[in-house]
Amino acid sequence: MSLALIEFKEAALGYQKGRPVLTGVDFVVDSGAFWGILGANGSGKTTVLKTLLGLIDPLQGKVLARGREDARARFGYVPQKERLDPIYPLSAFDVAAMGTYRSFEPLARFRRKNKRAFIENCLDDCGAAALAGQPYSALSGGQKQRVLIARALAAAPEILVLDEPLSGIDASTQKALLELLNRIKHEHDLTVLMVSHRIREEKSLFSHIAWVEDGRVLVGKAAEMLAQGRLAEVFWSEL
Amino acid sequence: MTLLAILKPDFLLHHAVYGSLAVGFVCPLVGVYFVLRRLVFWGVALPQVSTAGIAFAFLLQGLGVRLLAGQEGHEKHLAIIGAVLFTAATIFILAWYERHGQGSNEGRIGALYAIAGAASILFVAWNATGESEMLGLLKGEIVSISEADFHAMLNIFAAVTAALLLFQREFTLVSFDRDMAVALGRNAGLWDLLLYSIIGLTISLGVMTVGPLVIFGLLVLPAMAALPWARGMMALSLTASALGGLSSLAGFYVSYRYDLPLGPMIVCAAFAAFASSSALRALKHLWVRPKSY
């Protein structure tokens, strides 16, 4: 039986009081669903994502986790890979290990044998075990994305949130990443929310779609939403 | 006089040697975050702001405002308070603007540097008393530091070092991917606040010890020299710290041996480390293919 993990209740989302980017946001993310948060660039997809992760508070209304305002879902977050500065001298393993930094453990470095095996497993799950020792900054786009997905898995999440994970990646790597996402979703029993401004390969994975446009968020089951004229119009070349 | 001789406790200027070494070891630990967060310009402006804070504290004293009971070392304590308050306030304002403000961050820091430099000179000019001693403090007067202040400084630097190493995981996470830190439920604002407080304290004490020029040099040059060779954050921090300490020692030795100004010699030594690192890196790129960590 599915459980309401996240619930947006009549929420207004944005960055400044009195100037909401999105209003009347009202939808429920059930456990086990695969949501596509779609819309054109600048439509407000990232605003939905930031509110969901707790980076910004809703201007009005509520965002509930498991039906409670004071609860927090366990997120695994995959940001846009370009957002992470390559100047840091971190290996792929170091980056993946950040997923385990959920709590303050000042002496973690002295007793991390078990944790190391866990992180290596996460990298292995994402087909990135061989990259563990490589400098993160030297990896290709697809490899970085695998490492970031491994990092999200290392956070032992119930919800995996991905921000444009396929942008700037070649078609064959995109396909491989989507297969990976589909596999880990089922193996780890995850709920997935994926922000995208396109809908080519990934449309077959979505169970639900949140369509962000003109300050509103339209939601529905993927099959129904994709059949609607408006999405077909916007994504005419992709549907 | 040999290099080993100046490290002996009976050396006349042993406070100056150990003080310079402490600043040399600790400043690069903070400087690593300046370089990685691409806040190098903060490293130029903040020591200048700290200097303005010292000059302002002396101006108040010159105007007859008594903040502390008169006793030995009173001026230095006043200077530390001024430096810490000015630096901390500036860091928090800059951090707020960096996250919420619009416009050019570099422009703001350039303006800050200009006004802090001008204010330092004006505060000194308006102060009728103790100008020469104050000028000494503005340049960093490690030689005249009292025994008690010297030990207090070492204790504070030890605490700063312990905090930077103990909380390295958290500081790295909020610096590298703040959004991920929040997604994990960490209080990114609190960790930023702690890091900025440590930065402010280190710069304030450092400026008092060796002056703003040396602090900027030690914040940036050792971290830049270590960066191409570091494999991981701990390696970067320790390598930068070691280079900073060695630069201070070499700078002090050359300064003492050839009767040259201490501050510029420390900066020259740190620059030599940076130049050597850059040259080695260029050679490596010519002959060696990149390897995995």
Side-chain angles (χ1 to χ4, degrees), chain B residues 122-197:
Chain B
L122 287 174
F123 291 153
V124 172
W126 287 335
N127 191 354
T129 58
E131 188 169 319
S132 61
E133 188 182 355
M134 187 167 44
L135 283 172
L137 267 174
L138 291 175
K139 286 187 287 181
E141 272 295 302
I142 185 68
V143 177
S144 65
I145 196 168
S146 73
E147 189 77 27
D149 286 349
F150 173 73
H151 288 291
M153 184 191 80
L154 288 188
N155 289 338
I156 292 173
F157 276 156
V160 162
T161 304
L164 284 169
L165 297 179
L166 197 63
F167 304 137
Q168 189 180 58
R169 236 175 54 142
E170 280 69 25
F171 293 150
T172 303
L173 178 64
V174 295
S175 302
F176 181 65
D177 191 353
R178 198 174 196 281
D179 290 358
M180 176 68 175
V182 176
L184 287 172
R186 306 306 300 270
N187 191 337
L190 188 72
W191 288 109
D192 269 343
L193 185 72
L194 181 60
L195 180 59
Y196 289 142
S197 302

Side-chain angles (χ1 to χ4, degrees), chain B residues 39-252:
Chain B
L39 299 174
V40 167
F41 286 126
W42 283 35
V44 187
L46 288 175
Q48 199 61 52
V49 169
S50 189
T51 306
I54 295 170
F56 184 72
F58 274 98
L59 174 64
L60 285 183
Q61 198 184 27
L63 293 172
V65 179
R66 291 281 161 202
L67 299 174
L68 298 169
Q71 53 188 294
E72 195 190 344
H74 168 236
E75 294 85 0
K76 289 190 178 67
H77 296 156
L78 200 63
I80 288 173
I81 292 170
V84 169
L85 286 180
F86 268 55
T87 311
T90 305
I91 286 178
F92 295 133
I93 291 167
L94 282 177
W96 188 89
Y97 266 108
E98 203 204 353
R99 292 202 56 72
H100 305 285
Q102 295 175 339
S104 156
N105 206 27
E106 288 82 1
R108 271 192 290 272
I109 291 166
L112 180 68
Y113 176 77
I115 192 62
S120 304
I121 295 167
L122 287 174
F123 291 153
V124 172
W126 287 335
N127 191 354
T129 58
E131 188 169 319
S132 61
E133 188 182 355
M134 187 167 44
L135 283 172
L137 267 174
L138 291 175
K139 286 187 287 181
E141 272 295 302
I142 185 68
V143 177
S144 65
I145 196 168
S146 73
E147 189 77 27
D149 286 349
F150 173 73
H151 288 291
M153 184 191 80
L154 288 188
N155 289 338
I156 292 173
F157 276 156
V160 162
T161 304
L164 284 169
L165 297 179
L166 197 63
F167 304 137
Q168 189 180 58
R169 236 175 54 142
E170 280 69 25
F171 293 150
T172 303
L173 178 64
V174 295
S175 302
F176 181 65
D177 191 353
R178 198 174 196 281
D179 290 358
M180 176 68 175
V182 176
L184 287 172
R186 306 306 300 270
N187 191 337
L190 188 72
W191 288 109
D192 269 343
L193 185 72
L194 181 60
L195 180 59
Y196 289 142
S197 302
I198 289 171
I199 288 172
L201 190 61
T202 308
I203 290 177
S204 304
L205 272 181
V207 166
M208 288 280 302
T209 313
V210 287
L213 169 72
V214 181
I215 289 302
F216 176 55
L218 288 174
L219 282 173
V220 175
L221 292 169
M224 293 287 287
L227 190 57
W229 311 101
R231 302 289 177 256
M233 284 297 291
M234 184 56 82
L236 176 62
S237 297
L238 295 181
T239 311
S241 175
L243 289 173
L246 286 173
S247 300
S248 286
L249 183 62
F252 194 96

